[in-house]
């Protein structure tokens, strides 16, 4: 027992450490940031090419089916109502979140080109 050493452990006190509080985003800011991230273009070149191509090809496919397949009138009316709701949401996002205005305009333009190709 005489050859044992004492081990001293220093524990910092809680009073000497004060971390900076992280800024909390409001729910509206989280909502805006989520939409900005959702509409933003991808960083990867392959993903960007796929994203831009799908913005043209998918509406072209739907427009082609719209013209060539004889849908009943109630289905055509339902699709037109859905397109109206989507257009209203796009206009709202354009006004509510000015950061996405340019990207939203680009995507709507690509969809319009796809619809024209499909017709």
């Amino acid at each position: 027992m005489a050859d044992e050493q004492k081990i001293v452990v220093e524990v910092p006190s809680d009073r000497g450490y004060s971390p900076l509080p992280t800024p909390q985003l409001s729910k509206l800011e989280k909502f805006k940031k989520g939409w900005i991230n959702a509409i933003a273009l991808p960083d990867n070149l392959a993903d960007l090419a796929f994203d831009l191509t799908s913005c043209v090809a998918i509406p072209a496919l739907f427009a082609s089916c719209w013209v060539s397949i004889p849908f009943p009138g109630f289905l055509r009316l339902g699709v037109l109502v859905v397109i109206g709701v989507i257009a209203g949401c796009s206009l709202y996002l354009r006004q509510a979140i000015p950061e996405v205005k340019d990207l939203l305009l680009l995507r709507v333009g690509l969809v319009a080109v796809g619809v024209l190709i499909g017709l």
Side-chain angles (χ1 to χ4, degrees):
M1 298 264 188
D3 58 343
E4 293 180 6
Q5 295 179 347
K6 291 185 178 179
I7 299 175
V8 178
V9 178
E10 295 183 16
V11 179
S13 66
D14 292 336
R15 296 179 202 128
Y17 177 70
S18 63
L20 296 174
T22 58
Q24 297 293 328
L25 296 176
S26 67
K27 289 185 179 183
L28 180 63
E29 291 297 322
K30 288 179 183 178
F31 175 77
K32 285 183 177 181
K33 188 171 180 162
W35 273 106
I36 291 170
N37 290 339
I39 295 176
L41 295 173
D43 296 332
N44 187 355
L45 185 61
D47 290 339
L48 178 65
F50 175 77
D51 190 37
L52 295 179
T53 304
S54 66
C55 280
V56 174
I58 293 172
L61 175 67
F62 285 141
S64 176
C65 290
W66 181 270
V67 172
S68 62
I69 298 174
F71 290 115
F74 70 93
L75 282 179
R76 288 186 184 266
L77 181 63
V79 169
L80 290 176
V81 167
V82 168
I83 289 173
V85 169
I86 291 171
C89 290
S90 297
L91 288 174
Y92 172 74
L93 281 175
R94 185 172 169 245
Q95 292 175 353
I97 308 172
E99 292 88 3
V100 301
K101 183 174 131 181
D102 296 332
L103 287 174
L104 196 58
L105 188 62
L106 171 72
R107 290 188 183 271
V108 168
L110 289 173
V111 167
V113 167
V115 168
L116 291 176
I117 288 172
L119 296 177

